[in-house]
Amino acid sequence: MEEKRTTASPRKQEDDIGSFQGNVGSDLLLASLDVVAGAIPLHSLPAAGMAVKAAIRVTDMCQQLQGSLDQVDNLRKRIRGLSFIMVQELSRRGIREVTDSLKRDIEQFQNDLGYIEKKLRGISKQPSFLAIFFKNGNKEALQQCLRKVDGSLSHFELPQIPNDTVLRKLENDIRAYCRPLQETSENTGKFIKDIKALLQISEPAAQPCIEFATQKTPFPRCSHTLRGCDKLVNVLADKVKTRLARNDQVLVALLGPGGMGKTSVALAVMNHQSVRDRFIDSCRFWVPCAKAESVPLLLDTLHYSLCITRRTDDTLKDILIELESPSGKSQPHRILLLDGFETPWNLDDQEEIKHILGSLQKVPRLSLFITMRASQPPADHRWDTEYIQPLDPEASAKTYTDIYNEAGKQSQLPELLDAIGHIPLAINLIANYAKSNEKTPSAMLDVWGREGTGISTLETGHIDKLMERSMKLSIESPLMKSSPDAFKVLVLLTLFPAVVPTAHLQQFWMPPSVNWLDAFGVLDGAGLIQREDDSVSVIPAIRTYLVHSNLIPQPILHEFQEHILRVCCSLLSQHSSSPGNPSFKDDKEFISSEVDNFQGILLSATTDLDAPTSPELLDALLTLSLHHRWTRPRLDLIKHALAFFERVQNDKYIAECLACYAEMYRGLNMYAEAIGKALQAREKFIAIHDSSSAAHCLLRIVNFKMFSDISFEEYDSIIRQAQSEYGPDAFGQALCSFYLGRIHSQVDNRSDARLHLETAKTKLEELGKPFELAYCLQSLATIYCYQVYRADPAFPPSKKSLSIASELANQALDVAYQCDYANLIADVLQTFCMILKENGLYEDALRNAREACKIFNSIGNPLGVAQVCFDYGRILLQMNEFKGAKDAFQKALTVYEGIDADNSRKLVCQNILEEIETLGDYV
């Protein structure tokens, strides 16, 4: 039974609003919090409202003292931010969810505010002419106040205080809302609800300091109006709600033949208010499984859709590690919609699919909702199964007349709907057919009858036959026949595994002889394609029917397969630049916009052992593999490409592929594997007499070995050998100078390091190599920054060296943004962070660290994340923020322990954490 909740009385709410309107010109955020805190249905927790009222008084006092007392504005901002997250947290909870511990913490916050108010009141009463005598005492009193606020934050175990920008945005939003507000208390409930909604705006920003959420795949819009399914949607939403009340997990399977509206119903359930109340937007995920035609593709789809940032060669492990609770903390309830799960489930590797599904089911607080074209759910008795049924006659008629209103006047419409089985997609197709050909229900019955006798039973096999007949009728309709190119365009679209940008379709993919504009109008009118925003695709059930039927003549099928392969190879060839090239950003974005289509086309063309090959096809495979290297390292395509190159026995492409493979392993922090592939690539380059590429493999090995413990002499020997093999290659010699600078820097020989790096910088500038130049500038900035720790007569004094370091880092950052390579940008931001720290600009340093961490997270570079967490912890230690520092070092250590690299920093993390532990209760 649902527990009763108390609310503030109407009189009390009117007083709150009056108070709020009186504060519109003052502190809007706190005034809004005061209203919301008063309306929270927690009669047993008066401390929340009292704390906010105390916060209002304290911030007013801070405002008055702002000109006479340092750090008072910082105190004001912290109190406002902490009040915000306290009220925001409480407004989302019910009485049952407010623990005794949380109540005590809120009461303590109220008491702390009383202490702060008393201190500030005493300071405000001091005579101004005696201020100089009270200066040190006031400063200490203010520090005690700040420690009180920080203590409250640590007790709450709530997100970090939102920054001033977030709070200022909230205040502006509230001011915009209040502008038209009249001096009235009408619609009090809506007022409070709207203010609470405004306060939720900043929720994504209020995350722990070094954790960032990647933008998740948005839920698609339903392609047509859902009629007659409200009851089923409510039933399923209620199942989710009631099952979750008893367990931490819900497993729902929505089953039925194609064309029954499973996806539309599932999307409506995910958008149902009761489901949204339990799973906030960031915890509901759509995972489109229809294109997952292999185990690696399913794992990659899960990885992308769930915003997983960890990347190793074990994708399932990466997914599970990020989904499971870190450090024993509870994760929020999350739900995944695995849409079209029949595609991976029906693969030959079903045991692996079972293992993936079973692994997801074991994750605490993770619920699964699947749609499948099947009569049985995946092999697990725990599934709560719902079989989708045809529409009822009333909903069928409404769906039909929504498309073709004239049919509603005809008495034989019910008979036609009976004949087509009340199947949603069949109704959609037949209604579009009737509309485009101006056919009455009676005439449509004649057309339907010519296709075969009616089927009265609605078992799965019979429904499939009804669907096939309705699709065949639509494809062979007079409307389709009126456009000679409509069927060709339909076949073309069927060959793409993912949606196609409309602009690309008409500019690149469409054969010149095809009148695509006319064909699009016909296909749209027949209801055979779906268009969303700026993309187009074939309706999944129709694509499946076309792929598995004999409706497409083989000559037409082969013609279009060859056509899209030619276009695919040509487009990849035109967009094959690398970082540093002026067109790299545009090329990267172009390939990313259709990466699933490119990969699907190339895999299809190179899987058959007897498939013909060409230089263009080899180039395309290598280009797409390199694109993965520069964006998201994924090993499934590079493995396939290497096997294909070996099958056709092309040593040049084998060597290039192995070199790319090595860099991917480096991106995944798998250094032993990276070195192995680099050595193999070197052997191949030597075999084909490409000495520069062979020498470059040596420098790759130096780069990979920098994360392990080897001697300076070994580094130096490898680089000297590369210098010899490069010969007159100016770019190669510049790279050797760069790496010599790096290894000298690593052993703290900064004078020689600067000499080599300055040489490399000059050569790279002359050669116009911005990508490598950015790394060189970053390394120079780093060694100038080292002057702070150990003075070197060859360098300017510390202050001047830091100024030079900042200038070099700024140059490196400018060049990095021009190159548009995320790893490089994050690396330079991290260096900048260190320089800002040494300049004492801690807030700026933390901001750069957060931005670097966000980028490393988005591209899946766990080592980068660990390095940033390490630096973040060092900055917080400088600020005496021990709790935050402990959290940062713990996160860094967790990542280091999972990576075969940087044992030195792992040991430093362990030592620092032990030191922090000795501080005990002070932390």
Side-chain angles (χ1 to χ4, degrees):
M1 192 170 75
E2 188 168 318
E3 189 167 340
K4 274 191 171 183
R5 301 188 177 195
T6 61
T7 57
S9 68
R11 179 70 257 162
K12 169 71 168 63
Q13 291 180 338
E14 288 172 19
D15 291 344
D16 284 343
I17 293 174
S19 171
F20 175 86
Q21 291 170 328
N23 277 289
V24 165
S26 181
D27 196 323
L28 281 175
L29 179 66
L30 284 174
S32 304
L33 292 174
D34 190 25
V35 174
V36 177
I40 293 171
L42 298 169
H43 61 283
S44 60
L45 192 59
M50 293 171 69
V52 174
K53 284 178 167 50
I56 293 173
R57 293 194 300 272
V58 170
T59 53
D60 282 345
M61 294 173 71
C62 288
Q63 198 79 31
Q64 295 166 18
L65 293 168
Q66 195 164 0
S68 59
L69 201 58
D70 292 339
Q71 290 290 316
V72 74
D73 192 49
N74 188 18
L75 177 64
R76 181 183 68 84
K77 290 176 181 177
R78 292 197 193 191
I79 290 173
R80 293 175 85 240
L82 185 52
S83 302
F84 165 75
I85 56 177
M86 178 190 74
V87 174
Q88 186 189 46
E89 181 75 8
L90 289 173
S91 68
R92 289 199 292 262
R93 292 173 180 258
I95 291 174
R96 294 188 197 134
E97 296 182 62
V98 178
T99 63
D100 290 339
S101 174
L102 180 57
K103 290 178 183 177
R104 286 195 298 272
D105 290 339
I106 292 172
E107 288 165 1
Q108 184 60 50
F109 179 44
Q110 180 197 351
N111 293 335
D112 289 343
L113 286 169
Y115 170 89
I116 294 169
E117 186 177 1
K118 183 179 178 180
K119 288 285 185 185
L120 294 180
R121 197 176 300 282
I123 293 172
S124 67
K125 290 180 179 179
Q126 295 167 358
S128 57
F129 65 90
L130 294 176
I132 188 169
F133 296 104
F134 292 106
K135 184 176 180 181
N136 290 334
N138 290 345
K139 184 177 179 181
E140 177 56 32
L142 198 61
Q143 287 300 321
Q144 290 173 0
C145 293
L146 286 166
R147 283 196 288 272
K148 287 283 185 183
V149 176
D150 292 345
S152 290
L153 179 66
S154 64
H155 281 305
F156 278 125
E157 293 187 351
L158 293 176
Q160 187 190 26
I161 292 178
N163 62 40
D164 201 43
T165 303
V166 171
L167 297 179
R168 194 159 52 246
K169 180 184 184 306
L170 277 171
E171 200 162 5
N172 290 337
D173 290 337
I174 293 168
R175 181 173 281 108
Y177 170 79
C178 292
R179 205 169 283 126
L181 196 64
Q182 301 300 315
E183 292 290 335
T184 176
S185 59
E186 292 178 7
N187 207 358
T188 300
K190 181 178 185 301
F191 171 84
I192 293 171
K193 183 179 178 182
D194 289 348
I195 291 296
K196 287 177 75 173
L198 287 171
L199 296 177
Q200 293 297 319
I201 289 172
S202 75
E203 186 174 345
Q207 296 294 322
C209 56
I210 46 176
E211 293 177 0
F212 299 87
T214 309
Q215 187 175 2
K216 68 188 183 74
T217 306
F219 280 84
R221 294 196 300 267
C222 289
S223 56
H224 56 277
T225 305
L226 207 61
R227 296 287 184 186
C229 294
D230 291 347
K231 183 178 179 181
L232 176 59
V233 170
N234 289 331
V235 165
L236 289 168
D238 189 58
K239 278 188 178 182
V240 172
K241 179 181 176 181
T242 55
R243 300 295 188 274
L244 205 60
R246 296 198 296 266
N247 304 290
D248 268 353
Q249 187 181 54
V250 178
L251 302 175
V252 177
L254 184 57
L255 310 178
M260 297 295 287
K262 296 183 295 297
T263 295
S264 296
V265 169
L267 291 173
V269 173
M270 291 297 107
N271 202 43
H272 194 279
Q273 191 58 52
S274 68
V275 174
R276 294 175 69 95
D277 287 344
R278 201 64 186 88
F279 302 95
I280 60 174
D281 286 351
S282 60
C283 293
R284 289 179 292 115
F285 299 89
W286 177 58
V287 184
C289 300
K291 66 183 181 182
E293 296 175 345
S294 67
V295 173
L297 279 177
L298 174 63
L299 289 171
D300 195 57
T301 302
L302 282 164
H303 194 283
Y304 178 77
S305 300
L306 300 181
C307 309
I308 304 300
T309 56
R310 176 186 168 93
R311 296 194 207 288
T312 67
D313 63 334
D314 190 339
T315 307
L316 179 58
K317 184 178 179 182
D318 295 341
I319 293 167
L320 297 176
I321 284 176
E322 290 203 15
L323 287 178
E324 288 169 357
S325 303
S327 307
K329 295 180 181 178
S330 293
Q331 289 277 34
H333 283 285
R334 294 149 297 170
I335 188 166
L336 317 186
L337 171 54
L338 304 176
D339 191 22
F341 196 70
E342 70 279 351
T343 301
W345 185 250
N346 292 326
L347 293 171
D348 293 336
D349 302 316
Q350 194 177 92
E351 287 304 314
E352 289 191 55
I353 303 300
K354 284 182 184 177
H355 173 64
I356 293 168
L357 200 58
S359 299
L360 291 173
Q361 289 178 26
K362 292 175 184 176
V363 177
R365 293 190 164 202
L366 183 69
S367 295
L368 304 179
F369 193 119
I370 65 170
T371 67
M372 282 181 71
R373 291 180 199 164
S375 57
Q376 295 294 326
D380 191 314
H381 66 280
R382 295 174 60 202
W383 288 99
D384 203 337
T385 304
E386 190 74 33
Y387 299 94
I388 196 163
Q389 300 295 323
L391 300 179
D392 61 56
E394 183 181 350
S396 290
K398 186 62 178 167
T399 301
Y400 194 101
T401 55
D402 280 347
I403 297 168
Y404 189 30
N405 188 49
E406 292 299 313
K409 304 171 184 177
Q410 305 294 323
S411 60
Q412 287 186 289
L413 179 58
E415 189 178 345
L416 173 62
L417 296 172
D418 286 341
I420 60 179
H422 302 278
I423 301 166
L425 182 55
I427 295 169
N428 186 279
L429 292 172
I430 298 303
N432 276 293
Y433 181 108
K435 180 181 179 181
S436 60
N437 295 287
E438 297 184 348
K439 296 277 188 184
T440 64
S442 176
M444 286 304 303
L445 274 169
D446 290 339
V447 174
W448 183 262
R450 287 197 296 273
E451 290 297 318
T453 57
I455 299 172
S456 57
T457 60
L458 290 177
E459 295 175 2
T460 298
H462 292 151
I463 291 177
D464 288 340
K465 289 178 182 177
L466 285 173
M467 279 302 310
E468 287 177 13
R469 190 195 305 171
S470 61
M471 285 188 273
K472 186 171 185 291
L473 193 64
S474 295
I475 290 167
E476 296 179 348
S477 67
L479 177 64
M480 287 287 288
K481 291 176 180 175
S482 70
S483 169
D485 293 329
F487 183 70
K488 292 180 181 179
V489 173
L490 184 64
V491 172
L492 182 75
L493 288 172
T494 301
L495 298 176
F496 290 98
V499 299
V500 186
T502 308
H504 292 182
L505 193 65
Q506 62 192 62
Q507 188 175 355
F508 307 118
W509 297 110
M510 203 64 68
S513 59
V514 171
N515 184 344
W516 64 270
L517 195 59
D518 177 61
F520 257 40
V522 168
L523 292 170
D524 215 6
L528 294 168
I529 59 173
Q530 50 190 13
R531 302 172 75 172
E532 185 172 343
D533 298 330
D534 299 321
S535 62
V536 62
S537 61
V538 178
I539 291 172
I542 295 170
R543 182 175 184 268
T544 300
Y545 170 67
L546 281 170
V547 169
H548 296 288
S549 72
N550 295 319
L551 199 62
I552 306 176
Q554 287 301 304
I556 292 179
L557 180 62
H558 292 319
E559 176 189 344
F560 279 101
Q561 285 174 332
E562 291 173 3
H563 169 76
I564 65 167
L565 179 59
R566 280 196 306 273
V567 174
C568 172
C569 293
S570 174
L571 290 174
L572 288 170
S573 174
Q574 295 169 41
H575 298 86
S576 59
S577 61
S578 57
N581 187 300
S583 65
F584 175 70
K585 182 178 181 179
D586 292 338
D587 290 344
K588 181 184 67 173
E589 290 175 357
F590 178 84
I591 295 177
S592 295
S593 70
E594 291 211 57
V595 67
D596 289 332
N597 284 327
F598 288 135
Q599 181 159 325
I601 292 165
L602 292 178
L603 289 175
S604 177
T606 54
T607 299
D608 189 349
L609 295 176
D610 299 324
T613 187
S614 66
E616 292 79 13
L617 179 57
L618 300 178
D619 268 339
L621 262 178
L622 185 59
T623 297
L624 191 57
S625 298
L626 287 166
H627 172 77
H628 285 174
R629 173 206 165 178
W630 298 124
T631 52
R632 294 175 56 218
R634 291 183 284 184
L635 298 181
D636 52 321
L637 180 68
I638 194 78
K639 286 177 182 175
H640 177 86
L642 181 58
F644 181 73
F645 296 148
E646 289 173 340
R647 196 169 78 220
V648 299
Q649 300 179 349
N650 190 308
D651 285 346
K652 176 182 179 296
Y653 285 98
I654 292 172
E656 295 285 0
C657 189
L658 285 166
C660 177
Y661 217 145
E663 293 290 355
M664 281 199 184
Y665 273 133
R666 160 67 180 88
L668 295 169
N669 303 304
M670 301 170 67
Y671 301 99
E673 292 84 352
I675 291 168
K677 292 298 181 190
L679 287 169
Q680 292 177 40
R682 175 171 164 76
E683 288 177 8
K684 286 292 181 184
F685 282 124
I686 290 172
I688 60 175
H689 309 293
D690 185 345
S691 58
S692 286
S693 295
H696 195 62
C697 287
L698 288 174
L699 296 185
R700 283 192 175 97
I701 292 167
V702 169
N703 189 28
F704 303 156
K705 286 193 173 188
M706 280 187 177
F707 297 92
S708 58
D709 299 323
I710 67 169
S711 67
F712 172 83
E713 290 72 19
E714 186 178 348
Y715 283 133
D716 188 65
S717 174
I718 296 172
I719 297 171
R720 299 297 179 187
Q721 184 179 348
Q723 277 183 317
S724 173
E725 293 182 10
Y726 271 122
D729 185 332
F731 178 49
Q733 294 299 334
L735 289 177
C736 289
S737 296
F738 168 66
Y739 277 101
L740 283 169
R742 286 189 64 188
I743 66 167
H744 277 283
S745 174
Q746 202 163 23
V747 296
D748 207 24
N749 184 357
R750 283 177 290 137
S751 297
D752 287 345
R754 185 176 69 169
L755 180 64
H756 289 298
L757 289 171
E758 291 284 5
T759 300
K761 174 177 173 288
T762 302
K763 291 179 181 177
L764 291 169
E765 286 173 336
E766 290 171 356
L767 294 167
K769 297 290 184 180
F771 179 62
E772 293 76 11
L773 176 62
Y775 277 116
C776 188
L777 290 167
Q778 178 203 12
S779 297
L780 273 168
T782 302
I783 62 170
Y784 273 98
C785 189
Y786 282 162
Q787 180 73 355
V788 174
Y789 301 105
R790 191 178 302 169
D792 188 323
F795 284 75
S798 295
K799 192 171 183 181
K800 178 66 174 175
S801 286
L802 280 176
S803 175
I804 295 171
S806 295
E807 185 180 343
L808 288 165
N810 263 313
Q811 292 175 32
L813 196 57
D814 287 343
V815 178
Y817 277 118
Q818 291 169 25
C819 293
D820 197 47
Y821 179 46
N823 246 319
L824 171 59
I825 294 168
D827 281 338
V828 178
L829 281 170
Q830 188 179 354
T831 299
F832 221 142
C833 164
M834 181 182 66
I835 296 166
L836 290 166
K837 167 182 167 285
E838 299 308 332
N839 274 303
L841 301 171
Y842 298 134
E843 292 298 333
D844 290 338
L846 291 174
R847 187 174 62 252
N848 274 269
R850 286 193 291 269
E851 184 62 26
C853 191
K854 184 176 182 179
I855 295 171
F856 281 135
N857 254 321
S858 70
I859 59 178
N861 185 337
L863 180 61
V865 172
Q867 309 284 53
V868 173
C869 289
F870 183 90
D871 290 340
Y872 205 97
R874 290 167 65 194
I875 298 166
L876 291 175
L877 282 180
Q878 292 283 108
M879 300 169 69
N880 292 328
E881 299 279 356
F882 297 109
K883 187 176 186 298
K886 179 182 176 182
D887 182 53
F889 283 117
Q890 188 60 60
K891 285 182 170 68
L893 181 60
T894 301
V895 180
Y896 284 139
E897 288 175 341
I899 297 173
D900 182 27
D902 221 331
N903 289 323
S904 60
R905 283 206 170 186
K906 182 161 59 176
L907 291 172
V908 173
C909 281
Q910 291 169 340
N911 293 335
I912 291 175
L913 286 168
E914 288 172 6
E915 290 292 327
I916 292 176
E917 284 298 323
T918 63
L919 297 175
D921 293 338
Y922 183 66
V923 175

